[in-house]
Amino acid sequence: MIEIEVQNETHQDVCRIKAMAVPRIGEGIRLKEPNGAWASYDILDVWYQQAEYGEVWVPYIHVRMTPDELKAVELEMANNNPMVDKSQQIPIEDFLKKFEGEDEHETVKLNLDMSEDV
């Protein structure tokens, strides 16, 4: 088994996984999310650094959640956000009428002439 340090760009955190082989750039892997669900990630970069304890090279990978997975997570968060009360949704036109009123606005003519009259 190889221990690989994973730098997760999506969550801005670092973790370690054990694998049989080091994935290559462009490959996809599945990682467990903080909430316990599994998500797909793209490998953005792979590099090796010498360990502090000898002639051993430790693999590192840089990952980011796949675009499709990220959209699904954002959509789920938007639908399940407890801070949003969807029972209060109204069309934007009705919302704007609350502030603008029913009447049409008259435009105000501005004089932007900065010349000085002598």
Side-chain angles (χ1 to χ4, degrees):
M1 289 296 249
I2 302 169
E3 190 168 286
I4 303 169
E5 183 165 308
V6 179
Q7 296 182 359
N8 190 329
E9 183 178 299
T10 304
H11 296 297
Q12 295 296 310
D13 65 358
V14 176
C15 67
R16 292 183 180 268
I17 61 172
K18 291 186 185 220
M20 295 298 288
V22 178
R24 294 179 284 176
I25 295 173
E27 287 184 340
I29 61 172
R30 306 266 303 159
L31 296 174
K32 203 171 213 179
E33 292 290 289
N35 66 2
W38 290 89
S40 297
Y41 285 84
D42 290 329
I43 306 292
L44 302 177
D45 196 11
V46 177
W47 70 97
Y48 296 85
Q49 291 181 351
Q50 189 170 5
E52 296 175 4
Y53 49 84
E55 293 291 321
V56 177
W57 291 85
V58 180
Y60 290 78
I61 60 175
H62 184 199
V63 299
R64 177 178 10 178
M65 194 177 284
T66 61
D68 291 339
E69 190 82 35
L70 196 55
K71 286 179 192 172
V73 168
E74 288 172 354
L75 181 61
E76 181 181 332
M77 288 297 293
N79 289 338
N80 297 329
N81 189 345
M83 302 296 287
V84 176
D85 183 5
K86 293 191 178 190
S87 66
Q88 297 181 359
Q89 286 181 330
I90 61 171
I92 189 69
E93 295 83 14
D94 295 341
F95 175 77
L96 293 175
K97 284 180 186 176
K98 285 182 169 181
F99 298 100
E100 296 175 352
E102 300 287 335
D103 302 325
E104 288 289 324
H105 292 288
E106 292 182 24
T107 56
V108 176
K109 296 188 189 302
L110 297 175
N111 183 4
L112 300 176
D113 185 10
M114 300 298 285
S115 63
E116 295 182 22
D117 292 332
V118 183

